[in-house]
Amino acid sequence: MPHPSYRGRFAPSPTGPLHMGSLVTALASFLDARANNGQWLVRIEDLDPLRETDEARDQILSSLEAHSLNSDEPIRFQSDCLDRYGKLVQQLIKEGKAYHCTCSRKQLKANGGRHPNRCRDVSPSITGGTPTAIRFALTDEWHTWTDNLQGNLTQHIHAEIDDPVIQRKEGFFSYQLAVVADDIDQNISHVVRGADMLEMTPQQCQIYDSLGAKPPQWMHIPLVTNQQGQKLSKQNHAPALDDTQASANLLTALGLLNQETADLHSDHSTNEILCRAAERWQPSRIHLTAR
Ligand code: GLU
């Protein structure tokens, strides 16, 4: 059944050019949106200037365009939204849902993740002075949720021990807060993304909750791996897509998603391939790998 207000997105961090793994994720989110008569947005998650480059951002955008994966709305850049994240961090601190953390990584490690400085309790007194990291205060729970592909899932959230950093000591905002803030601001109803984000999902659900918003529907698709079984990534030297072979790349990606491609050829245009693939999109055909 098409979902009347479906809004999906693809949200790459520009750490390198698109490779087959990221194309599979982009394509799955695009096809799921189109199959539901929904909108599909592109958002560049450029929060970490130490790991991300303008060159990678431009390569990703031109690669998406070459594959006719075009955003239905102007592209959002997280680097343009820093004021928004700053306000949210302050709001969460005020409401007692986030706190200043003065413990070093070493101290936390030595204490099994507990804070020797008792940051959750003493936090309000250290607002001025030296910069500190800000952490989101998780609630201890067995979190259960439904993933549209993986089914019913459960994960134990350990308050204090798992509390994620939402703003680093150096001032950068972290992915965990920004991704939720943007998905709320952009009214994203369905998130289709790689299964490497599965573990973070319950924490993100708590962040939604703390901001008074309802989490989207989730679908986590298996990661594409190389012959050594490693996730395709820049660190593992996954080759950049050859944008001159866009139709063939889309067919390979559809094959990895185990979709029907028998009557599609690499001499079809990218738009034609996307259109036909959306008509017969069947996420239930995606092979689940062991987690
Ligand atoms: N920006 C994240 C990444 O590139 C993905 C975020 C998400 O889809 O929630 O790994």
Side-chain angles (χ1 to χ4, degrees):
M1 271 278 283
H3 193 282
S5 52
Y6 187 117
R7 280 169 69 83
R9 52 55 162 193
F10 174 58
S13 306
T15 53
L18 282 193
H19 49 69
M20 188 48 76
S22 28
L23 181 66
V24 164
T25 306
L27 182 61
S29 67
F30 178 89
L31 293 178
D32 203 56
R34 287 290 179 263
N36 284 284
N37 296 328
Q39 289 170 310
W40 185 75
L41 313 184
V42 173
R43 180 170 75 228
I44 297 289
E45 303 211 316
D46 52 350
L47 281 179
D48 185 347
L50 304 178
R51 288 178 57 231
E52 298 157 352
T53 63
D54 292 353
E55 192 196 357
R57 177 200 61 204
D58 295 345
Q59 281 171 328
I60 290 175
L61 293 176
S62 66
S63 204
L64 287 172
E65 201 182 323
H67 292 81
S68 300
L69 294 166
N70 299 319
S71 180
D72 291 325
E73 289 180 8
I75 292 166
R76 181 171 174 121
F77 295 90
Q78 289 193 325
S79 55
D80 290 338
C81 308
L82 304 183
D83 286 352
R84 165 87 175 128
Y85 310 136
K87 283 192 186 124
L88 286 178
V89 169
Q90 290 315 312
Q91 176 190 325
L92 290 172
I93 293 175
K94 230 201 240 149
E95 292 171 352
K97 296 170 182 166
Y99 60 92
H100 293 266
C101 170
T102 54
C103 295
S104 66
R105 232 180 266 184
K106 208 167 142 198
Q107 283 177 312
L108 291 173
K109 202 164 167 222
N111 273 274
R114 300 258 170 233
H115 294 230
N117 299 345
R118 298 187 41 247
C119 303
R120 275 185 173 222
D121 306 331
V122 298
S123 156
S125 60
I126 25 166
T127 38
T130 39
T132 64
I134 314 283
R135 286 182 189 271
F136 180 77
L138 292 168
T139 304
D140 212 84
E141 64 158 340
W142 280 97
H143 189 89
T144 56
W145 77 105
T146 304
D147 184 281
N148 285 344
L149 186 61
Q150 318 266 348
N152 294 335
L153 299 167
T154 302
Q155 189 183 306
H156 188 189
I157 298 191
H158 303 88
E160 184 177 356
I161 295 171
D162 294 338
D163 287 353
V165 170
I166 53 173
Q167 185 170 8
R168 302 208 317 241
K169 187 165 86 208
E170 299 79 10
F172 303 137
F173 297 100
S174 76
Y175 156 74
Q176 284 286 63
L177 175 73
V179 74
V180 173
D182 284 344
D183 283 339
I184 293 172
D185 289 353
Q186 297 190 285
N187 273 322
I188 298 299
S189 63
H190 290 69
V191 167
V192 178
R193 60 183 180 183
D196 49 344
M197 300 292 154
L198 204 47
E199 240 179 81
M200 301 190 177
T201 306
Q203 296 191 8
Q204 290 175 5
C205 286
Q206 287 202 1
I207 299 179
Y208 271 92
D209 212 36
S210 73
L211 297 174
K214 209 168 104 6
Q217 293 195 34
W218 308 101
M219 186 190 293
H220 287 86
I221 59 169
L223 299 179
V224 180
T225 50
N226 64 18
Q227 278 167 346
Q228 288 76 45
Q230 299 159 322
K231 170 192 165 187
L232 287 195
S233 68
K234 196 175 140 218
Q235 289 77 16
N236 293 329
H237 312 292
L241 291 171
D242 175 355
D243 290 341
T244 64
Q245 304 294 320
S247 292
N249 294 338
L250 287 175
L251 294 182
T252 305
L254 284 169
L256 288 164
L257 289 163
N258 197 31
Q259 300 299 301
E260 189 64 66
T261 55
D263 59 342
L264 295 174
H265 305 285
S266 53
D267 49 5
H268 286 135
S269 72
T270 46
N271 268 321
E272 203 168 343
I273 293 174
L274 292 175
C275 243
R276 293 219 213 160
E279 279 164 16
R280 56 179 88 149
W281 170 240
Q282 269 188 285
S284 58
R285 288 182 57 121
I286 300 172
H287 290 305
L288 290 184
T289 37
R291 276 188 281 115

